[in-house]
Amino acid sequence: MVIDALKNSAATEKLHSAFKQVFDYVKTHDLAKFDLGRIELDGERLYINIAEVQGKEKNEAVLETHNNYIDIQFPLNGEEIYAWESRSLLVHPRQVYNAKEDITFYTDKAALYFKLTPGKFAVFFPEDGHAPCIGQGKIKKAIAKVRIEESKIDHDR
């Protein structure tokens, strides 16, 4: 997982060949003014979802993991709290892996909580269990989905 300010994205951009494209787009567009929906950057390889969700309490948050995509999450209004736990320690799946949605949910509890505000971001890799959308009121956010190479995916985790 990476947590940082958008102005410091240069170091994070080196972690994946598509990251720079995401950060350049986010820095040059006011995503808070965008309508909800999907922004195509490179088909299924790279896209951004603009979403607005109702914030939830910590005890309602559910940890999730992804096998095929890296999430880069950017709060666009107010603050959003995230929960985190290492995927290697998640042992209680709530349901089997949903390949269509690329998601597994867990009933395990998080080890860490942190808060992001506009101008900051979090990168969640497949080994990062995360529970977003903790907070009050409506939370508008951008979620970049970055496809990882098949050879790097460990489906047995």
Side-chain angles (χ1 to χ4, degrees), residues 21 64 70 73 75 86 100 103 142-143 155:
Q21 186 177 354
E64 63 187 58
I70 299 165
Q73 301 207 14
S86 172
K100 182 179 179 191
I103 198 162
I143 306 132
H155 292 288

Side-chain angles (χ1 to χ4, degrees), residues 2-23:
V2 176
I3 305 167
D4 208 338
L6 194 53
K7 67 182 181 179
N8 299 329
S9 68
T12 303
E13 291 168 9
K14 297 173 185 174
L15 298 176
H16 188 286
S17 61
F19 281 8
K20 182 166 177 23
Q21 186 177 354
V22 170
F23 286 105

Side-chain angles (χ1 to χ4, degrees), residues 5 8 12 42 50 73 91 93 103 126-127 129 136 141:
N8 299 329
T12 303
D42 188 7
I50 305 295
Q73 301 207 14
V91 295
I103 198 162
E127 58 268 18
Q136 302 296 313
K141 62 192 296 176

Side-chain angles (χ1 to χ4, degrees), residues 75-81 115-119 136 138-140:
L76 301 176
N77 69 331
E79 65 182 37
E80 181 177 5
I81 297 170
K115 177 175 34 175
L116 293 181
T117 53
Q136 302 296 313
K138 294 279 186 186
I139 299 171
K140 189 170 184 182

